Amino acid sequence: MQKSFDDHRKVLVTGGAGFLGSHLCDRLVARGDDVLCVDNFYTGSKDNVAQLMGHKKFEVMRHDVTFPLYVEVERIFNLACPASPVHYQYDPVQTTKTSVHGAINMLGLAKRLGARILQASTSEVYGDPEIHPQVETYWGRVNPIGIRSCYDEGKRCAETLFFDYRRQHDLEIKVARIFNTYGPRMHPHDGRVVSNFIVQALKGEDITIYGDGSQTRSFCYVDDLVEAMLRMMDTPADFTGPVNIGNPTEFTMIELAEKVLRLTGSSSRLIRQPLPQDDPRQRQPDISLARKAMDWSPKVSLDDGLVETIAYFKRLLAT
Ligand code: NAD
Ligand code: UDP
Ligand code: UDP
């Protein structure tokens, strides 16, 4: 394997031009790693990594992970996959391919190189859960044939592949189950609830509450999430996860809407729209394992994170 001339690692981030991936690239470059960002720009954009362009430790490659990739790296963060329901349901077959073929290719790459590989999995593997809060030992309640299945089952299959490459080829794997995360660089039109509510509030448009708004989510600020991913990658080789990463403070969608209205000073009205099919009723991570194994817990409150995110969308809408 080709080694860097200094001590810093060569790191591949797939989906590196997306929301989470771009923040991860920022942190890796800042600490001196040599970063290769691979992205097909399906939902990500060059704007998200514009601040890194021209940096000697940063490189972008346009590539679709459903095709083989031959590069030389020591660590792989596999984030490539559209994450918002609107985007992953737009081309569901491609979504499954990205999770499954993408995982096979990145695991094949890791196997050839002896590289350590981390999978960005999701709380969606728990589906609409009967166990609350969700613990890693819970197997989930996922509809295999619904409109969310391309994402949920794709991510579940990717987890299976990661653990089979571990058992069969002794690969160093890490599986992080990410719960709802928000922050600057979310796509303004990706339909996720935090970006929708903020953009609607800032534009004075109606705030769209799906269903009665009593369903819950637990929102993690992006900086906390990236810190957890970095720590997870550096855990001892025998620690594979899966491990929940998220903020355990739970809110209803009505509570979220009210917070956004207060923090933006908007007078938008709340309106009801139909609840999408298979929308999980509640979601809250049990993060005991992350606390113990990675000495990690989120630091940013929803109010503080929303203030940063609102400032970002204000700047975006102004241009
Ligand atoms: P995002 O859509 O902003 O980023 C995904 C990135 O992957 C984009 O840049 C996109 O262009 C790229 N991509 C998609 N298909 C690809 C392909 N076939 N080949 C190469 N690149 C491809 O989403 P995000 O919120 O940054 O999510 C990143 C990862 O984290 C995803 O795997 C997602 O499933 C996972 N995740 C995110 C959340 C969250 O709340 N943000 C929650 C759970 C899991
Ligand atoms: N692969 C890749 N880059 C590599 C090595 C492998 O993209 O550096 C892909 C290759 O397309 C292969 C897949 O990873 O189909 C799985 O590789 P593995 O070695 O596990 O299995 P193979 O299919 O080669 O027997
Ligand atoms: N939601 C909503 N209004 C919106 C967008 C989403 O009420 O404009 C709800 C959605 O039905 C779900 C929750 O907010 O119950 C979180 O949705 P999101 O798409 O952000 O993430 P996920 O459902 O994948 O957790």
Side-chain angles (χ1 to χ4, degrees):
M1 187 194 338
Q2 191 184 331
K3 272 267 174 208
S4 318
F5 288 109
D6 55 34
D7 287 339
H8 298 301
R9 293 185 183 279
K10 289 181 137 259
V11 182
L12 166 63
V13 180
T14 76
F19 161 50
L20 297 182
S22 63
H23 287 277
L24 180 61
C25 288
D26 283 346
R27 284 286 303 274
L28 291 166
V29 169
R31 77 177 190 188
D33 286 341
D34 219 324
V35 177
L36 173 60
C37 162
V38 162
D39 205 294
N40 69 350
F41 303 111
Y42 179 51
T43 52
S45 82
K46 286 183 189 159
D47 289 342
N48 287 339
V49 288
Q51 71 289 354
L52 294 172
M53 296 290 195
H55 196 293
K56 66 181 190 332
K57 297 275 192 178
F58 183 74
E59 210 179 331
V60 185
M61 181 194 275
R62 182 190 289 269
H63 175 81
D64 182 327
V65 294
T66 62
F67 295 98
L69 176 66
Y70 288 86
V71 293
E72 308 298 316
V73 293
E74 291 148 86
R75 295 200 159 179
I76 303 169
F77 288 90
N78 188 37
L79 275 67
C81 186
S84 93
V86 171
H87 284 153
Y88 70 64
Q89 287 165 21
Y90 177 76
D91 186 351
V93 173
Q94 174 66 13
T95 299
T96 304
K97 281 188 190 169
T98 294
S99 277
V100 177
H101 294 184
I104 292 173
N105 287 327
M106 293 311 103
L107 287 162
L109 175 66
K111 181 181 132 198
R112 176 174 66 79
L113 300 170
R116 184 176 276 203
I117 179 165
L118 182 148
Q119 168 68 355
S121 190
T122 169
S123 53
E124 292 286 327
V125 300
Y126 301 123
D128 192 3
E130 307 112 315
I131 302 280
H132 196 73
Q134 290 77 56
V135 283
E136 289 87 350
T137 46
Y138 176 50
W139 290 355
R141 185 163 77 111
V142 176
N143 176 358
I145 56 168
I147 56 172
R148 292 175 85 100
S149 312
C150 58
Y151 184 75
D152 301 8
E153 296 289 17
K155 289 283 188 180
R156 285 170 68 95
C157 184
E159 287 201 7
T160 308
L161 285 161
F162 268 68
F163 278 86
D164 281 332
Y165 267 79
R166 164 91 181 167
R167 284 183 284 260
Q168 214 171 317
H169 302 297
D170 207 24
L171 232 64
E172 280 189 27
I173 63 151
K174 311 276 172 194
V175 173
R177 289 184 179 155
I178 302 170
F179 283 64
N180 297 64
T181 303
Y182 69 99
R185 300 191 196 142
M186 289 184 91
H187 195 292
H189 304 299
D190 78 3
R192 282 187 268 195
V193 69
V194 174
S195 43
N196 266 14
F197 285 4
I198 292 177
V199 170
Q200 289 162 347
L202 290 176
K203 288 181 161 174
E205 294 170 356
D206 294 341
I207 307 270
T208 51
I209 305 281
Y210 299 165
D212 64 7
S214 65
Q215 70 272 35
T216 68
R217 294 293 186 273
S218 308
F219 298 101
C220 185
Y221 189 63
V222 60
D223 291 358
D224 282 332
L225 196 282
V226 169
E227 177 63 29
M229 289 181 86
L230 293 171
R231 286 185 188 214
M232 171 117 196
M233 184 58 110
D234 286 337
T235 51
D238 62 353
F239 183 71
T240 58
V243 61
N244 290 336
I245 307 181
N247 189 321
T249 318
E250 188 180 357
F251 296 89
T252 66
M253 295 311 102
I254 295 278
E255 286 169 336
L256 176 69
E258 283 165 354
K259 263 186 194 297
V260 169
L261 286 180
R262 180 169 53 78
L263 293 170
T264 52
S266 167
S267 50
S268 288
R269 292 179 314 143
L270 306 192
I271 60 156
R272 296 275 164 86
Q273 289 197 352
L275 191 67
Q277 188 194 323
D278 293 337
D279 200 87
R281 283 289 317 150
Q282 53 181 5
R283 203 182 274 150
Q284 187 199 101
D286 179 316
I287 59 164
S288 315
L289 180 59
R291 283 185 207 275
K292 187 162 153 255
M294 292 141 56
D295 189 25
W296 175 85
S297 60
K299 304 282 178 253
V300 183
S301 69
L302 183 55
D303 274 46
D304 288 349
L306 284 176
V307 167
E308 294 296 325
T309 312
I310 289 165
Y312 167 77
F313 279 112
K314 262 191 191 156
R315 288 195 300 275
L316 196 72
L317 293 177
T319 53

